[in-house]
Amino acid sequence: MKKTITSNDLKNLVNEAHAQVKDLKGGKNANYIPFLDKIDSNLFGISVCLPSGEVIEAGDTNYVFGIESVSKVYTAILVLRQYGAQAVLDKIGADATGLPFNSIMAILLENDHPSTPLVNAGAIMVKPVGNSEAKWKAITDNMRELSGSDLKLLDELYKSESETNFNNRSIAWLLKNYNRIYDDPDMSLDLYTRQCSLGITAEQLSIAAATIANDGVNPVTKKLIFDASLSPKITSLVATVGFYERTGDWLFTSGIPAKTGVGGGVMGIMPGHFGISAFAPPLDSSGNSVKAQLAIKYIMNKLGLSIFGSTRFTITG
Ligand code: GLU
């Protein structure tokens, strides 16, 4: 079924979703990273970026928060760009673990590879080419290209996470034990921790999501960031494991592939339609933002849109 909506209708819907969800309670800030525990729990923003480059927003969409695991989507894109889809499939994989994001058990259960770049094990091992400096430059350049503007390191978050990331240190060295990490484990972990500590806004996140939804062309800068053939690969990775062990429930109820981070951000990709993001710090027990989930679901359900359905929208100006 084909439908037409105006960007004004969408604006009203985004405002409505914000108003409906704003005062709801539930969830708790991530407290295993002390910095995140201190962030104002009432912050809440929603941003939608259309293929035209128009950005529709409500609430705290310019607040800079820790990107955390949403950064895994960016680095997955980077290694897809550098090594190609087949190498990523062979060396890392594209399967859901069905287990929490930082699961040690998942590493023990896999015989050959970490299984996906979107859980901690895969993200710690996923690295661009070059020495540590070149890798960091590639990571931040790629993030800027996708988001349309620079992301800055939140030093306090980086320090806080580096001082407490004992589980991730175990993951890095366990991967080494099984010959499943291709770089020095400590360097890989440090780069991962730094990328998770980059600050991003909901607006930037929606632009990056829209770049994926728009076949690799950033709708705001109009630049081709990656080959269109990679878009469905990235979206499939996100669809498979974006909400970790809650991914099936999420897809069933929202209809949109999306990736969460313990900083409270969620990035959703509706191919050909839009990129959407929402941000609110309190999380459910799997580490997914409670309000961001409710807001995105509200919008998807009101639109009657699902990646698995046949309804398609034309959004007019
Ligand atoms: N840096 C966080 C960690 O490794 C990211 C987790 C997440 O956002 O899901 O624990």
Side-chain angles (χ1 to χ4, degrees), residues 78 82-83 126-141 182-184 186-188 190-192 194:
L78 179 56
Q82 290 197 344
Y83 302 101
V126 151
K127 290 292 162 276
V129 294
N131 62 16
S132 158
E133 225 168 274
K135 288 182 203 292
W136 180 243
K137 183 174 179 327
I139 290 170
T140 49
D141 284 351
Y182 307 114
D183 280 300
D184 173 68
D186 288 329
M187 178 193 70
S188 300
D190 179 56
L191 285 165
Y192 166 77
R194 254 192 280 169

Side-chain angles (χ1 to χ4, degrees), residues 13-61:
L13 183 55
V14 168
N15 283 329
E16 197 180 298
H18 189 266
Q20 290 286 332
V21 174
K22 181 163 64 75
D23 297 320
L24 299 181
K25 302 283 172 230
K28 277 201 296 225
N29 286 29
N31 59 7
Y32 75 101
I33 300 173
F35 175 88
L36 296 178
D37 201 18
K38 292 186 288 179
I39 306 292
D40 179 357
S41 307
N42 295 314
L43 288 161
F44 175 41
I46 310 171
S47 181
V48 180
C49 178
L50 302 178
S52 64
E54 185 182 357
V55 180
I56 296 170
E57 320 186 279
D60 303 307
T61 52

Side-chain angles (χ1 to χ4, degrees), residues 32-33 68-69 72 101 120 161 168 192 196 244 260-263:
Y32 75 101
I33 300 173
E68 294 297 347
S69 278
K72 291 168 177 159
F101 63 92
N120 286 21
E161 191 157 341
N168 286 344
Y192 166 77
C196 287
Y244 304 119
T260 66
V262 293

Side-chain angles (χ1 to χ4, degrees), residues 170-303:
S170 315
I171 289 177
W173 282 97
L174 198 56
L175 289 171
K176 175 74 178 169
N177 185 54
Y178 290 117
N179 278 328
R180 289 193 226 144
I181 194 158
Y182 307 114
D183 280 300
D184 173 68
D186 288 329
M187 178 193 70
S188 300
L189 176 64
D190 179 56
L191 285 165
Y192 166 77
T193 310
R194 254 192 280 169
Q195 86 183 43
C196 287
S197 305
L198 284 163
I200 194 157
T201 65
E203 182 180 290
Q204 287 176 307
L205 213 50
S206 71
I207 295 170
T211 305
I212 305 169
N214 196 35
D215 288 340
V217 178
N218 183 315
V220 173
T221 64
K222 313 290 180 212
K223 288 195 185 131
L224 176 71
I225 311 301
F226 58 80
D227 192 81
S229 65
L230 295 180
S231 262
K233 305 290 182 216
I234 296 151
T235 309
S236 78
L237 289 173
V238 171
T240 312
V241 73
F243 271 67
Y244 304 119
E245 72 274 31
R246 299 269 170 86
T247 304
D249 286 359
W250 167 257
L251 278 178
F252 190 91
T253 52
S254 72
I256 183 169
K259 180 76 200 82
T260 66
V262 293
V266 177
M267 162 207 262
I269 303 148
M270 191 59 207
H273 285 74
F274 50 71
I276 184 167
S277 76
F279 155 67
L283 312 175
D284 67 15
S285 58
S286 298
N288 304 319
S289 167
V290 173
K291 281 187 193 171
Q293 293 183 63
L294 291 170
I296 295 175
K297 267 190 220 176
Y298 187 91
I299 292 168
M300 291 301 291
N301 291 329
K302 281 272 173 168
L303 287 172

